[in-house]
Amino acid sequence: MKPLSDIAAERAVLSGICQYGQDAYLDVSDIINSNTFTIDYNQLIFSCIDHTFKLQEDSTIDVASIYSAGEELGLSNIMSRREVMEHVQSLFNFPINRENVRKFAAKIRKFEVARKLRDQLKAAGDSLLQLEGTETVSEILSIAENSIFEFSSLINEDDNEPQRISEGLIDYIDYLAENPVDQIGLPTGFPEYDKAIGGGLRNGTVSIIGARMKVGKSLISTAIGYHIASELKIPVLNMDTEMTYEDHLHRLLAMSSDCFIYDIETGKFAQKPNVDKKVRDLARKLENEKIPYDHRSIAGTPFEEQLAIMRRWIVKKVGLDSEGKANPCMIVYDYLKLMDMSLLNSNTAEYQALGHITSILHNFSVKYKIPILALIQLNRDGINKEGTEVMSGSDRIGWLCSNFTILKEKSDEEIAQDGVENGNRKLVPVVARHGAGMEYGDYINCHMHGAKGKILEGKTKFQLLKEGEKGERQNEGQQEF
């Protein structure tokens, strides 16, 4: 029988962590644990490494720290054996490229899953041997089905046992009463949008804004991210699939200083004293106040590596609490599209791959309990329609997001009805799991000034209509008087 293991891959993973430190550890710690290894010595060494990085913030590891962790874990007798000591020493000399560490980790994780599944199916086979022949077909099938369902829980480290709804209820009610908040999620700087989606960007959710090309989805995501970082001092990471750091910086500076993007990127702002002062004042604010806003260009980066970037950012710059959840932060993902064609094959269509990516982002937000704002590009139906059918990609995107909002250009008729002063864009909350959304036909007015990278929220359509009706009644009353 072929063994479900790869000894060389196990050694490569441990060597990669020993040689590249915390970065390599963070790349693999979400998919492996000590039980992923099949050799006893490898299990012990990984336990020591895992213990070390969980107790300290150092980015490196050495032989001494491994043995120190062994002492703390009560493994000194085993770790002091000659063969173990030689094995530990060899890990720091084994040739391994940094980019291959996660690949080998994924390989041994798959073998671990296969071993667990084999054991689970063997147990199901033993149960089938005990059948008496009086069972129904459904009862027989349930033996195999329950085996698979139980296996799913075995590979999930979270406690997913059902919880009695009344358990700790009074304490929870007291906690809510003693800790009132204005809204549940992070305020975006767009109050009407926050209200429609149920109180801002909530932890453990993916909020999606969709738009056609060049309508302003990057501008609104930048405005929201910078508001959260600058006003709330909450760390924000912008994962940008299109713009370089310089392009994004030019837009951010223009938006925040009310200057033209062109003046900033050409350096001509310096020729205008008032503009020069605005830009330099903003630059000093960003540096002096240490605004926690980070940008990372991920164009062409495989999705697995994107996840590693987000994970490292959370651990290194945001930090985790005692339960492994992230401290307050937010991630902008601009925007959902395929950049790694390896996700596609003869059996996987593009819309399925996009749905898969959304599913992983959702699980990531739940695991670290953070809000993610993701942008998508609408299909051609998005030109005229305003429903979930305009999502370019997959229905699964709609299933997994907490809310979905469309950003559109207003028609000439809408601009005329609302007034030019009330903007040239509109936000249409289509679905909201936690919020009330908006009444049919209503929308949030927005004004986009693309040359300055700005987009501002205004009143809703129905608010403007009510104000217009009130003004008409007042005018009629004055005429009658």
Side-chain angles (χ1 to χ4, degrees), residues 225-263:
Y226 183 69
H227 171 82
I228 291 172
S230 62
E231 298 300 321
L232 307 180
K233 300 300 186 290
I234 290 176
V236 172
L237 172 63
N238 189 304
M239 299 285 284
D240 199 330
T241 64
E242 293 200 313
M243 287 189 289
T244 64
Y245 169 79
E246 289 77 14
D247 288 338
H248 188 82
L249 181 60
H250 295 156
R251 288 195 178 197
L252 184 64
L253 290 172
M255 175 194 73
S256 304
S257 62
D258 195 33
C259 301
F260 290 103
I261 299 173
Y262 180 78
D263 284 344

Side-chain angles (χ1 to χ4, degrees), residues 49 136 168 175 192 212 288 370 409 424 446 474 480:
I49 292 173
T136 65
Y175 170 81
E192 293 296 336
R212 289 288 292 164
N288 296 337
I370 65 169
E409 290 185 87
N424 52 10
C446 293
Q474 288 177 342
E480 290 176 1

Side-chain angles (χ1 to χ4, degrees), residues 316-328:
K316 287 187 169 183
K317 291 196 173 184
V318 177
L320 303 175
D321 62 19
S322 59
E323 297 180 354
K325 305 299 183 183
N327 292 326

